[in-house]
Amino acid sequence: MVKITSVEAAWLHVPLPAEKQHRSDFGRITAFDGVLVIVRTADGSIGYGEAKPAVGSSGNGAALVAIVTQELAPLLVGQDSSEIGALGQRMLNGSRATLAQRAGRAMPILGRRGIHQSAIAGVDLALWDLLGKRHDCSVLALLGGASRPSIPAYASGGWESAERLGEELGRYVEQGFRAVKMRIGAMDGGVHTSLARVRAARAALGPEIALMVDAHGTLSVAEARRFCAATAELDLRFLEEPVASDDRAGLAEVRRSAAVPIAAGESEASCFDFAELIERRAIDVLQPDLAIAGGFSEGQRIAALAWANRAELAPHCWGSALSFQAARTLALASPAGTFVEVPMGGAPLLRELASIDLTLHDGALLPPQGPGWGVEPDPAFVKRFTRT
């Protein structure tokens, strides 16, 4: 038994220089935010995790820090850090944890959605990091190894106009990506503009590069159906979040009429959300964000849903090196894994917080190396960008 001695959190706020900013339906992204969760144990070990205040790059992390340090830490200090399952249920079910354990079903606290679940995610990721370090192996090795030798990666960007989009996406192909994703939707001001941009992208890329599109949930059902019908001949790999995440019925309607696979999930908080999407026959590609949807433990349950329902698993990875390595691990471990997302915008928490291997091998990433997540945050970076 190795007891937890402290649970800490730091809001990292990194301003982006003008040349690394981009504009989408979220506006101009001028900073990258995340919450670093640190769990320390009595033997001197340190585990790192990540909690996200928002799906995109930018968000206020103050409330997350408060939840981790003031609500979750008292539940965890003094407990055995290796009992990840029990600690996860303790955080999820609160004062009813014993009742839930006896009944064999969740009795979650009111904060089972939103930033409370994100805070749980950060702690869970840190606990898995600790467990890997304790056994001096990667989390992937703890699970029994990978289901495949590598995992395809796609470059996630595509904000430029129709006239400049081919140049932008072409740069990603030159870096070795065999798949790319672009943004469409409300930022375009109309479906006609989105269609023009997607057609320009396909013309520039040719038929050999996989092309995905992401509407960030900004289309109406009618607009999404029109878009799908008009792009049927463009061989899109998937359409991500065509309508708002709360519109389950609308998403199912789009999927029924679409020839393109439908992806969603970055805005969801738990396996129960993904189970509902599957039950409604609304989704083909499951995209959990492990710094939002309860961490790696919940990610494994979501991956099992994907496999059991013949759906794909392609985790959302717009965060730090920690959530990226966790997503990479999950996609490699699960037989349902098909892709890992690699942000192309300014992503300092991915590329500067710590050093990880992002080398592409025929468009794919190899398994992560090092104990735990294989991520050791740079103390100087953390100190410089911690916001108080």
Side-chain angles (χ1 to χ4, degrees):
M1 178 176 179
V2 183
K3 289 186 177 181
I4 296 170
T5 56
S6 70
V7 181
E8 306 159 21
W11 171 16
L12 303 182
H13 174 80
V14 187
L16 297 174
E19 66 272 15
K20 292 187 177 181
Q21 297 175 10
H22 67 267
R23 180 178 293 278
S24 73
D25 52 281
F26 292 113
R28 178 163 290 280
I29 304 302
T30 60
F32 204 106
D33 294 275
V35 171
L36 179 66
V37 177
I38 305 123
V39 177
R40 303 178 189 272
T41 58
D43 64 352
S45 298
I46 304 174
Y48 297 103
E50 177 193 357
K52 286 176 61 174
V55 167
S57 315
S58 184
N60 190 309
L64 265 178
V65 171
I67 292 171
V68 170
T69 59
Q70 297 178 34
E71 293 190 39
L72 300 184
L75 299 175
L76 301 169
V77 171
Q79 302 298 313
D80 186 350
S81 62
S82 65
E83 295 183 349
I84 299 175
L87 295 177
Q89 293 307 300
R90 188 181 181 93
M91 290 186 287
L92 177 68
N93 296 310
S95 61
R96 299 185 295 182
T98 302
L99 296 175
Q101 184 181 58
R102 188 164 63 232
R105 60 179 180 271
M107 298 180 185
I109 59 173
L110 185 62
R112 67 190 183 279
R113 300 290 185 271
I115 60 170
H116 202 110
Q117 185 74 340
S118 179
I120 292 173
V123 172
D124 180 85
L125 291 170
L127 292 174
W128 278 101
D129 189 41
L130 276 170
L131 189 63
K133 289 173 177 175
R134 184 165 306 126
H135 292 278
D136 194 27
C137 67
S138 68
V139 174
L140 185 60
L142 288 177
L143 301 181
S147 293
R148 57 185 57 78
S150 62
I151 187 72
Y154 69 84
S156 186
W159 302 282
E160 292 288 357
S161 65
E163 293 75 20
R164 300 180 61 185
L165 188 57
E167 178 185 350
E168 179 194 348
L169 300 183
R171 290 197 300 270
Y172 307 153
V173 175
E174 290 173 359
Q175 294 175 33
F177 289 98
R178 306 299 297 165
V180 299
K181 187 172 79 177
M182 60 177 287
R183 271 61 182 179
I184 63 163
M187 60 179 275
D188 290 332
V191 175
H192 61 285
T193 301
S194 293
L195 290 171
R197 292 179 63 246
V198 174
R199 287 168 181 148
R202 176 52 78 200
L205 294 170
E208 300 303 319
I209 302 298
L211 176 61
M212 300 88 153
V213 294
D214 184 355
H216 285 167
T218 61
L219 298 176
S220 68
V221 172
E223 288 171 334
R225 293 181 63 184
R226 178 185 164 200
F227 177 86
C228 290
T231 57
E233 77 283 0
L234 297 181
D235 190 27
L236 298 181
R237 183 59 178 79
F238 60 67
L239 169 58
E240 181 176 337
E241 284 198 316
V243 299
S245 58
D246 287 336
D247 190 0
R248 310 287 209 230
L251 189 62
E253 184 178 344
V254 172
R255 182 174 181 257
R256 280 195 299 270
S257 64
V260 58
I262 300 300
E266 68 182 52
S267 301
E268 308 303 341
S270 73
C271 66
F272 304 116
D273 293 328
F274 285 92
E276 182 183 354
L277 288 168
I278 290 168
E279 289 166 4
R280 288 178 174 267
R281 302 185 65 82
I283 192 170
D284 299 286
V285 185
L286 280 59
Q287 298 180 299
D289 188 313
L290 301 187
I292 292 175
F296 193 73
S297 297
E298 195 74 357
Q300 290 183 87
R301 291 185 274 270
I302 294 165
L305 283 172
W307 177 246
N309 289 278
R310 299 165 181 82
E312 296 181 41
L313 175 73
H316 180 254
C317 300
W318 207 278
S320 82
L322 288 157
S323 61
F324 183 89
Q325 293 291 74
R328 180 181 189 168
T329 297
L330 188 68
L332 279 161
S334 170
T338 54
F339 282 105
V340 167
E341 178 181 29
V342 181
M344 290 292 107
L349 295 185
L350 173 63
R351 294 184 172 88
E352 300 171 34
L353 171 67
S355 177
I356 62 172
D357 181 17
L358 294 173
T359 305
L360 293 173
H361 301 265
D362 194 23
L365 293 166
L366 299 180
Q369 300 299 311
W373 300 125
V375 177
E376 290 299 320
D378 177 1
F381 182 97
V382 173
K383 181 178 181 180
R384 178 182 178 188
F385 294 111
T386 293
R387 189 160 185 170
T388 56

